Amino acid sequence: MLEKSLTVGLVQQHAWPDKTRSLAASEAAIRELARQGAELVVLQELHATHYFCQYEDPALFDLAEPLDGPTGQHLADLARTLNIVLVGSIFERRAAGLYHNTAVVYDRAQGRVGHYRKMHIPDDPGFYEKFYFTPGDHDPARASGFSPIETSVGCLGVLVCWDQWYPEAARLMALAGADILLYPTAIGWDPNDDSAEKTRQKDAWTLIQRAHGVANGVPVLVANRVGFEADPSKVGSGIQFWGGSFACGPQGELLAHGGEEAENLLVTLDMARGENTRRIWPYLRDRRVEAYTDLTRRYRD
């Protein structure tokens, strides 16, 4: 059994093309949350830079770093100094021509204890991620793909942004023993959308992730960015990142919910509730796994 409670912090921040400025904002928030008692701190997707995927430019691959590059070393130092578990995000250069959108987990003095390379890669107007990111490998033998990461605060099912729309990803993390689902995110509105469409999009985004908590009987932590980021190519209208970071419990109950400005969220999770919820609603027990084989097909036609 896990400890009965776990204090977690979510960082919802602006980000800029200047890594120094972006990481300074991240560090200030991390230190403040640690001072308030957070044992686990989660940063948003690509927190060290602007959201550069609004346009395609090969020169932007220069933003990428290896796993243990300057950004990774800085985050590892913070986790060690503050004695916390820290989930960060980097644009990873794995090899020449091979780049990933990667969440990295640092556990106190142990340093980097695991990483997750984003598996679902979108390609939509303003979100041209397939140009920049290779999907993560599916290799359970090497704990890659949908494999949770063991830490001193529990087993973390770390996923990234577009992964949040896929119940399969959340389920596979839960089936591998994840105690918490975490989603570092960068999502926002097209300024040309009307208010009704913006509301539908944000509500759907919140709802589906809360549903992952319900379906798997685990808490869910989501960290999203805020602020308007222009499209430097001037082809698109830019993105207004909507914030809305949140924490919910294993029945989808909202425990903390951010607004549309930069802020830190601090919440204490009752980790025993997942066990108790699963005893009452034993979804994993009642799954008809022998009837689900067609889920491995693209479409049933």
Side-chain angles (χ1 to χ4, degrees):
M1 290 286 289
L2 293 170
E3 294 295 325
K4 289 185 178 180
S5 65
L6 173 65
T7 301
V8 303
L10 303 176
V11 177
Q12 179 171 285
Q13 66 170 90
H14 293 272
W16 298 271
D18 180 355
K19 282 188 182 180
T20 300
R21 183 180 181 187
S22 296
L23 284 172
S26 298
E27 179 175 346
I30 293 165
R31 288 186 178 277
E32 177 58 22
L33 286 165
R35 187 191 67 78
Q36 295 178 52
E39 301 166 80
L40 167 65
V41 176
V42 183
L43 299 170
Q44 66 204 30
E45 180 186 22
L46 300 173
H47 56 87
T49 67
H50 66 309
Y51 183 74
F52 52 84
C53 306
Q54 293 191 59
Y55 63 109
E56 298 180 358
D57 182 352
L60 292 174
F61 286 106
D62 289 342
L63 293 171
E65 304 178 24
L67 283 174
D68 293 320
T71 297
Q73 292 177 30
H74 185 63
L75 296 176
D77 288 344
L78 284 170
R80 181 180 63 255
T81 301
L82 299 173
N83 194 34
I84 60 171
V85 175
L86 177 60
V87 179
S89 174
I90 64 170
F91 179 22
E92 180 196 352
R93 182 189 186 279
R94 189 175 179 185
L98 184 60
Y99 302 83
H100 297 283
N101 185 334
T102 304
V104 190
V105 179
Y106 307 92
D107 191 345
R108 309 181 195 271
Q110 295 183 68
R112 178 166 58 88
V113 293
H115 61 272
Y116 168 81
R117 292 170 172 139
K118 188 173 181 176
M119 291 286 282
H120 298 96
I121 310 296
D123 190 67
D124 303 309
F127 294 85
Y128 299 113
E129 295 196 12
K130 279 185 166 61
F131 181 79
Y132 295 101
F133 307 133
T134 301
D137 299 313
H138 172 65
D139 187 354
R142 296 190 179 189
S144 61
F146 301 119
S147 299
I149 298 168
E150 290 284 356
T151 74
S152 59
V153 297
C155 190
L156 306 183
V158 182
L159 297 158
V160 176
C161 201
W162 193 234
D163 296 321
Q164 64 209 182
W165 299 98
Y166 294 86
E168 301 91 340
R171 176 71 89 204
L172 287 169
M173 285 294 194
L175 290 177
D179 298 309
I180 309 173
L181 296 175
L182 302 88
Y183 293 96
T185 297
I187 190 169
W189 295 297
D190 181 333
N192 295 317
D193 287 335
D194 61 29
S195 59
E197 175 61 16
K198 290 178 179 179
T199 297
R200 287 190 294 267
Q201 289 179 7
K202 188 175 180 182
D203 285 352
W205 173 80
T206 305
L207 179 63
I208 195 166
Q209 292 174 97
R210 292 174 67 185
H212 296 329
V214 175
N216 296 290
V218 294
V220 176
L221 305 176
V222 183
N224 188 28
R225 71 207 288 131
V226 294
F228 177 75
E229 297 187 25
D231 176 0
S233 73
K234 302 188 186 307
V235 172
S237 301
I239 302 173
Q240 180 67 48
F241 291 97
W242 64 48
S245 303
F246 69 89
C248 74
Q251 289 170 299
E253 67 277 21
L254 281 172
L255 304 173
H257 198 185
E260 296 177 16
E261 301 297 331
E263 63 179 300
N264 299 331
L265 278 68
L266 187 75
V267 64
T268 298
L269 303 177
D270 179 354
M271 298 305 296
R273 287 204 58 249
E275 174 80 18
N276 293 334
T277 300
R278 283 187 177 183
R279 292 178 183 182
I280 299 168
W281 290 342
Y283 300 131
L284 300 188
R285 181 196 69 189
D286 295 340
R287 295 175 66 241
R288 291 296 305 277
V289 295
E290 75 283 359
Y292 301 156
T293 54
D294 275 2
L295 286 175
T296 61
R297 298 177 62 178
R298 183 71 63 186
Y299 188 73
R300 295 177 74 185
D301 54 10

